[in-house]
Amino acid sequence: MRGGFVGACAAATAIGAHSLGGGGLPASPSLVVLVLACAVIGALASSAKARRSVPAVTLYLSVGQVVGHCVLAVAGGHTHTGQWSLPMLAAHLVAALGGAALICAAERLLAALVGSIWRLVMVLLALRGDEQRCIRLVWTHTGLAVRSVVCGGWGTRGPPPLAA
């Protein structure tokens, strides 16, 4: 989820900033290159070793914005003076920080929602009372540690049945 959002936000920010900066909307070939470049950034952001913190996601978004800007500038056939103004840098930083905060919050909220739905499904299966279909399902998430067990009885609870 994080990778898709990082790639999409980086591409949207690059297209919006490029258009507002006077570059116009990108043509089809440059749009394809931009989507591919932002997909690579998104894939890096969603890798297993990627950190899930706001600063790490901010870094991925910032790199995606720079890559997107360079792709659109080169593919569009124009360059600008190379002077980066302070308001432009501040706007990119605010966009990256805001996007990272929203992406991290959405990721945690989705994990909580999936955990709640999973618990509800497990309760409904347990209320169904079908002993023949007693299933032991466990769902864990690294951030939430939610475990649900439908049927009990696995383990050493109580004395053995034939205690002497």
Side-chain angles (χ1 to χ4, degrees), residues 1-9 38-39 41-47 103 107:
M1 181 176 115
R2 179 180 357 134
F5 282 137
V6 166
C9 288
C38 289
I41 299 295
L44 291 173
S46 67
S47 69
I103 289 170
E107 190 173 20

Side-chain angles (χ1 to χ4, degrees), residues 54-148:
V54 173
V57 176
T58 302
L59 177 68
Y60 287 118
L61 283 173
S62 299
V63 169
Q65 289 177 11
V66 170
V67 168
H69 176 78
C70 293
V71 164
L72 290 177
V74 170
H78 73 279
T79 58
H80 47 82
T81 60
Q83 296 176 355
W84 295 66
S85 66
L86 188 60
M88 181 182 70
L89 290 175
H92 277 287
L93 183 62
V94 166
L97 281 171
L102 290 173
I103 289 170
C104 289
E107 190 173 20
R108 291 187 60 80
L109 287 173
L110 180 67
L113 180 67
V114 168
S116 297
I117 291 172
W118 185 258
R119 283 190 301 266
L120 178 65
V121 167
M122 293 299 108
V123 166
L124 292 175
L125 284 175
L127 290 176
R128 188 171 150 191
D130 192 3
E131 293 298 324
Q132 306 296 39
R133 294 184 161 200
C134 190
I135 304 169
R136 180 180 180 180
L137 298 173
V138 178
W139 180 79
T140 60
H141 185 271
T142 56
L144 292 179
V146 176
R147 294 183 184 259
S148 298

